[in-house]
């Protein structure tokens, strides 16, 4: 039986609520992480804390370490509590932790609270991905996921804009107080409009509720398509090389994302730019990432994930290296925008590449593996940037240091073997986007 146009429109509109709520949640996820980079110059100048770049880099990694633990806990709790409750708990946790961070009396407490914030943030990304993909039409899964994830960079834009206008007048603490906003802006909407996962309801034996949601949103859950366990598929002879390479690619990708978002303002300050201009560079990089994530995902649908992801890493390497050549003002901003495309945009491409490379029954496990290894890169990124700035090397090495991981990322993606599923899917993607 075919659906009427009115029913199809209703399902489309209700499905957009899922994308919208996850998008806004990811905006604050991005804000809460990138805001640290926006206030690092102020923290380093704080006469009471006496932080060095190395210590500031370590603090920058605390939230990311908490995210790793939070993500692992979510994996264990989702099957018990459901994705809807996990999203509620994560929003409440990281919002309250941001408010507490604004009151931190010293650097030690500040660092501990950044770790606590990361625990809550760790539940947001995997839950948002799962719900967005599950409730997206099959032909829009890749685009909806990219649209949802562009909220991360928009959060970076928000952090930079607010920092430019508020930090010089009110200090760094107000930036963390603003992080409590999701309690008022997001949580009520999520409570009212965010549905539970259909697959979770089925797994818990709540078949009537699952059927009602599936009918309302037009969801068609994918059946398992292989007899082996997902881990056996990932680490079997056929996919082992790709599995290792995807983990490495995510490591380099997230090292760049979190390393640059933490240290770009301070790097530009060391290059002679005032605080306001340095924060504008962070703004431009994240604007470039918002646009680049959507454009790159559309190109990947048509040209294939491998070639577009490799080129994106290469663009990041070239643009970051070129920043060391003291380019003219227009070229400088353009290069920083391209660096945004090559960092956040590249990581979204990696996620899409992983999803199309493996069978549907192994997709979630494959993404969990690549993002899990990638989180280690996210932890290393701020530490790596702090080490480079503390090393005493010339200012050019502030840029060379981040160009190297981009080159390595391009080489790793270029080496990924083409799987059978990828070869079957890519020709179809040239006409109708169906990437999960």
């Amino acid at each position: 039986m075919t659906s009427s146009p009115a029913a199809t429109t209703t399902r489309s509109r209700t499905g957009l609520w899922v994308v919208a709520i996850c998008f806004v949640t990811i905006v604050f996820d991005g804000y809460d992480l990138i805001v640290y980079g926006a206030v690092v110059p102020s923290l380093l100048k704080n006469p009471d804390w006496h932080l060095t770049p190395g210590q500031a880099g370590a603090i920058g990694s605390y939230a990311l370490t908490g995210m790793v633990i939070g993500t692992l806990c979510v994996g264990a709790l989702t099957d018990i509590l459901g994705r809807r409750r996990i999203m509620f708990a994560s929003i409440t946790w990281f919002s309250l932790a941001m408010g507490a961070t604004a009151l931190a009396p010293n650097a030690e407490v500040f660092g501990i609270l950044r770790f606590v914030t990361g625990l809550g943030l760790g539940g947001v990304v995997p839950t948002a991905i799962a719900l967005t993909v599950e409730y997206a039409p099959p032909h829009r899964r890749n685009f909806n996921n990219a649209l949802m994830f562009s909220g991360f960079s928009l959060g970076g834009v928000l952090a930079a804009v607010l920092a430019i206008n508020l930090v010089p007048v009110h200090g760094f603490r107000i930036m963390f107080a603003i992080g409590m906003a999701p309690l008022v802006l997001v949580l009520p909407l999520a409570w009212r409009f965010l549905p539970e996962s259909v697959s979770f309801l089925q797994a818990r034996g709540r078949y009537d509720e699952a059927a009602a949601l599936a009918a309302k949103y037009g969801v068609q859950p994918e059946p398992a398509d292989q007899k082996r366990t997902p881990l056996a598929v990932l680490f079997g002879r056929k996919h082992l090389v790709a599995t290792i390479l995807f983990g490495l690619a995510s490591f380099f990708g997230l090292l760049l994302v979190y390393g640059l978002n933490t240290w770009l303002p301070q790097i530009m300050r060391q290059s002679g730019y005032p605080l306001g201009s340095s924060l504008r560079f962070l703004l431009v990089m994240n604007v470039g990432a918002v646009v680049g994530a959507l454009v790159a995902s559309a190109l990947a649908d048509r040209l294939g994930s491998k070639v577009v992801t490799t080129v994106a890493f290469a663009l990041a390497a070239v643009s970051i290296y070129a920043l060391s050549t003291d380019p003219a003002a227009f070229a400088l901003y353009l290069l920083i925008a391209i660096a945004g495309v090559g960092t956040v945009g590249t990581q979204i491409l990696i996620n899409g590449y992983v999803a199309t490379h493996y069978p549907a029954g192994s997709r979630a496990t494959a993404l969990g593996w690549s993002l899990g290894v990638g989180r280690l890169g996210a932890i290393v990124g701020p530490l790596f940037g702090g080490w480079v700035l503390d090393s005493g090397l010339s200012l050019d090495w502030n840029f060379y240091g981040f160009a190297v991981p981009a080159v390595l990322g391009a080489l790793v993606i270029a080496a990924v073997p083409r799987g059978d599923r990828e070869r079957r899917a890519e020709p179809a993607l040239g006409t109708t986007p169906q990437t999960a």
Side-chain angles (χ1 to χ4, degrees), residues 228 231-243 417:
R228 292 187 297 163
L231 283 176
V233 174
L234 262 64
F235 295 99
R237 184 174 61 182
K238 186 175 182 180
H239 292 292
L240 177 60
V241 173
T243 297

Side-chain angles (χ1 to χ4, degrees), residues 224-244 354 357-366 369 421:
D225 58 358
Q226 84 275 326
K227 296 180 180 179
R228 292 187 297 163
T229 65
L231 283 176
V233 174
L234 262 64
F235 295 99
R237 184 174 61 182
K238 186 175 182 180
H239 292 292
L240 177 60
V241 173
T243 297
I244 294 172
V354 171
H357 189 88
Y358 294 90
S362 304
R363 184 178 299 139
T365 304
W369 156 262
R421 180 180 175 84

Side-chain angles (χ1 to χ4, degrees), residues 39-406:
V39 304
V40 159
S42 298
L43 295 179
L44 291 173
K45 292 175 63 178
N46 188 328
D48 298 323
W49 289 13
H50 306 292
L51 288 175
T52 67
Q55 291 169 333
I59 291 175
S61 293
Y62 292 165
L64 302 169
T65 304
M67 285 188 71
V68 173
I69 298 173
T71 301
L72 293 174
C73 291
V74 163
L77 292 174
T78 297
D79 290 336
I80 300 172
L81 301 176
R83 289 169 184 163
R84 178 178 157 91
R85 290 178 179 174
I86 288 293
M87 186 68 90
F88 295 163
S90 297
I91 292 171
T92 302
W93 184 296
F94 75 69
S95 298
L96 293 176
M98 284 289 283
T101 304
L103 303 175
N106 53 53
E108 291 74 21
V109 174
F110 182 90
I112 292 171
L113 289 171
R114 287 300 290 164
F115 171 81
V116 172
T117 303
L119 293 174
L121 292 172
V124 170
V125 173
T127 308
I129 291 175
L131 287 171
T132 298
V133 171
E134 182 169 5
Y135 282 101
H139 64 283
R140 286 179 57 89
R141 285 177 176 170
N142 191 48
F143 182 80
N144 280 13
N145 192 51
L147 180 64
M148 183 273 293
F149 244 104
S150 67
F152 180 89
S153 297
L154 189 59
V157 171
L158 181 65
V161 169
L162 291 176
I164 290 169
N165 292 282
L166 297 179
V167 170
V169 178
H170 301 285
F172 72 89
R173 295 182 186 275
I174 192 172
M175 299 297 295
F176 294 93
I178 291 171
M180 295 186 68
L183 285 176
V184 178
L185 300 180
V186 183
L187 193 59
L189 288 175
W191 187 273
R192 172 67 179 83
F193 294 108
L194 191 68
E196 182 53 88
S197 162
V198 171
S199 60
F200 167 77
L201 294 174
Q202 289 178 325
R204 301 293 289 180
R206 295 159 63 179
Y207 299 112
D208 290 342
E209 294 176 64
L213 277 179
K216 181 178 180 180
Y217 289 88
V219 174
Q220 297 179 346
E222 292 184 71
D225 58 358
Q226 84 275 326
K227 296 180 180 179
R228 292 187 297 163
T229 65
L231 283 176
V233 174
L234 262 64
F235 295 99
R237 184 174 61 182
K238 186 175 182 180
H239 292 292
L240 177 60
V241 173
T243 297
I244 294 172
L245 293 176
F246 280 132
L248 288 173
S250 285
F251 177 90
F252 291 125
L254 288 175
L255 184 155
L256 288 168
V257 169
Y258 290 101
L260 282 175
N261 273 298
T262 298
W263 287 110
L264 182 63
Q266 184 62 20
I267 289 172
M268 301 313 290
R269 286 206 74 190
Q270 286 197 357
S271 298
Y273 296 91
L275 176 60
S277 295
S278 299
L279 291 172
R280 279 196 288 274
F281 292 128
L282 185 64
L283 170 63
V284 169
M285 187 175 77
N286 281 285
V287 169
V290 170
V291 177
L294 297 175
V295 173
S297 65
L299 288 174
D301 283 340
R302 289 158 177 77
L303 304 178
S305 296
K306 181 173 183 173
V307 62
V308 177
T309 307
T310 302
V311 170
F313 260 132
L315 284 175
V318 171
S319 62
I320 294 170
Y321 173 82
L323 290 173
S324 68
T325 64
D326 193 23
F330 173 78
L332 179 65
Y333 283 103
L334 179 61
L335 289 170
I336 289 176
I338 293 173
V341 176
T343 53
V344 176
T346 298
Q347 186 56 46
I348 293 174
L349 288 170
I350 293 171
N351 294 341
Y353 194 4
V354 171
T356 58
H357 189 88
Y358 294 90
S362 304
R363 184 178 299 139
T365 304
L367 284 167
W369 156 262
S370 66
L371 287 171
V373 176
R375 291 294 182 202
L376 299 178
I379 294 170
V380 169
L383 291 169
F384 176 74
W387 176 81
V388 172
L389 268 72
D390 250 352
S391 66
L393 297 171
S394 68
L395 290 178
D396 288 346
W397 274 99
N398 292 342
F399 302 105
Y400 299 161
F402 284 108
V404 171

